[in-house]
Amino acid sequence: MDTIIKQFENKGQGTVRLDLKYQPSIALVTLENPTRHNALSGKMMVELHSIITLLEKSQDLVAVIFRGGGGSSFCAGLDLKFARQYVNTIEDSLALNKLMYNNIQRITQLPLLTMGIVTGGAIGGGSEFITGLDFICMSKESGFIHFVQTRMGVSSPWGGMQRLISLVGKKKALLWMAGAYKLDAAHGVNHGVVDIVVDKDKDCLDQTVIFLNQFVVDRVTGQKVSPLAVRGMKKLAIRADGDWDYQSKVFATTGGFANL
């Protein structure tokens, strides 16, 4: 992975920003390449790799929000302008896909609740990014998820097919991915892919924070919820295989009966 990072760091435009203290216990990651609908360049993928490392090391966070910047789309996948300049061989393409597959896979393994804000499009690789997040807020005003991969002559390079199967089942995932389906907010909710729908783009971030605050502060008592307990639940959700030894180890890290 180090070789791939050196190959693509500082290649292309755009940036990825991290605010570790956006809200109490909630971080904010912003994909910023608005003139390219927040498509990801090599530079941005490497920055995202570094940001995920910081999130992995964080001890006091409960959740992280991912959004597109500049009033543009969530993410339009790979920045083709960057690709035409720097991705010249099949080896280059495979290396870049390995980097982004690794990024999204690590996001799915974070001991944090992850939430995406879909205003504008989550297109192609952006639709694969979305499948790696725990919860989604989508705007009726402009939000949509579009699985355009086959229309561009490619398969699912960032692991989206496997994750979508776990969300909606094999038949529907194959139908959507191979058939280049476009989902609006209503369809997303009906199929269990979208969790919050808002009327206007401007409302999505606020509603996302309200949604995530239920994991930060108890709604009845107003007391702060133990971050270790919430993070422990996320770890169990990642590894939902009934392994008692693993479950008991996670329980011990939260303080166990000492907190009861």
Side-chain angles (χ1 to χ4, degrees), residues 52-115:
I52 296 166
T53 299
L54 292 176
L55 293 172
E56 289 170 338
K57 293 178 179 178
S58 170
Q59 297 298 313
D60 57 352
L61 288 175
V62 168
V64 55
I65 301 167
F66 292 86
R67 68 170 181 174
S72 184
S73 299
F74 170 74
C75 176
L78 175 65
D79 185 342
L80 297 181
K81 180 180 178 181
F82 149 78
R84 284 191 289 270
Q85 186 172 359
Y86 295 105
V87 184
N88 301 309
T89 66
I90 186 63
E91 288 76 19
D92 291 343
S93 180
L94 290 173
L96 199 66
N97 285 337
K98 183 177 181 180
L99 173 58
M100 199 57 202
Y101 176 90
N102 177 266
N103 281 346
I104 300 177
Q105 187 64 18
R106 288 168 66 210
I107 289 171
T108 68
Q109 298 297 309
L110 285 172
L112 306 172
L113 301 174
T114 59
M115 189 152 189

Side-chain angles (χ1 to χ4, degrees), residues 203-230:
D203 297 327
C204 223
L205 185 57
D206 287 343
Q207 290 302 310
T208 292
V209 171
I210 291 170
F211 177 85
L212 290 175
N213 270 332
Q214 69 184 299
F215 305 105
V216 177
V217 178
D218 186 278
R219 286 173 289 192
V220 176
T221 67
Q223 298 297 310
K224 185 177 180 181
V225 178
S226 165
L228 290 176
V230 178

Side-chain angles (χ1 to χ4, degrees), residues 236-244 246-247:
L236 295 180
I238 292 169
R239 186 171 168 174
D241 59 4
D243 183 336
W244 164 247
Y246 179 75
Q247 292 184 39

Side-chain angles (χ1 to χ4, degrees), residues 184-197:
D184 61 16
H187 283 97
V189 168
N190 289 340
H191 293 289
V193 177
V194 174
D195 304 280
I196 303 173
V197 174

